[in-house]
Amino acid sequence: MIIFGTKGYLYQLAILTLVCGGCGNPAAHTLRKRVTKFTLFFVPLFPISTRYATQCTFCGAEQKVTKEQAEQLQAQSTGTPDGRPYGQPQQPHQHPGA
């Protein structure tokens, strides 16, 4: 007897402030990745499908996005295009007379 099936995993990648397409309010949106994996004897072996979506925290509307759009949104949430987070100085600040 062989027991097989699927199991879903949900990952929250980022929280972004966007204008919602459903309610029109500027609100926080969660960027999520949903992965479905094939299981054999309850052991997840390999992914079958991967889907990305944003969900409005104000009205709950969910919008599907492509992998490329998700990567772009995730990069925007982590900081500047060169990879440094916002608010970090480019060079260490030295006080005069120190």
Side-chain angles (χ1 to χ4, degrees):
M1 182 159 129
I2 297 176
I3 301 172
F4 65 93
T6 60
K7 182 172 181 176
Y9 296 88
L10 188 63
Y11 302 99
Q12 182 171 314
L13 303 176
I15 297 178
L16 311 156
T17 302
L18 304 169
V19 176
C20 180
C23 64
N25 290 314
H29 286 67
T30 56
L31 177 62
R32 296 180 176 167
K33 175 181 174 181
R34 184 179 311 267
V35 179
T36 303
K37 293 187 177 183
F38 175 79
T39 60
L40 183 63
F41 294 107
F42 306 105
V43 176
L45 296 177
F46 54 88
I48 296 173
S49 71
T50 303
R51 295 186 178 144
Y52 297 88
T54 59
Q55 185 175 18
C56 178
T57 57
F58 188 78
C59 69
E62 190 169 327
Q63 181 180 359
K64 294 179 183 178
V65 294
T66 64
K67 180 180 179 180
E68 291 78 21
Q69 290 171 329
E71 289 172 351
Q72 184 180 15
L73 288 170
Q74 191 174 9
Q76 288 175 0
S77 73
T78 57
T80 60
D82 59 0
R84 288 192 308 266
Y86 288 114
Q88 296 277 337
Q90 293 181 2
Q91 296 176 353
H93 181 72
Q94 294 183 354
H95 295 283

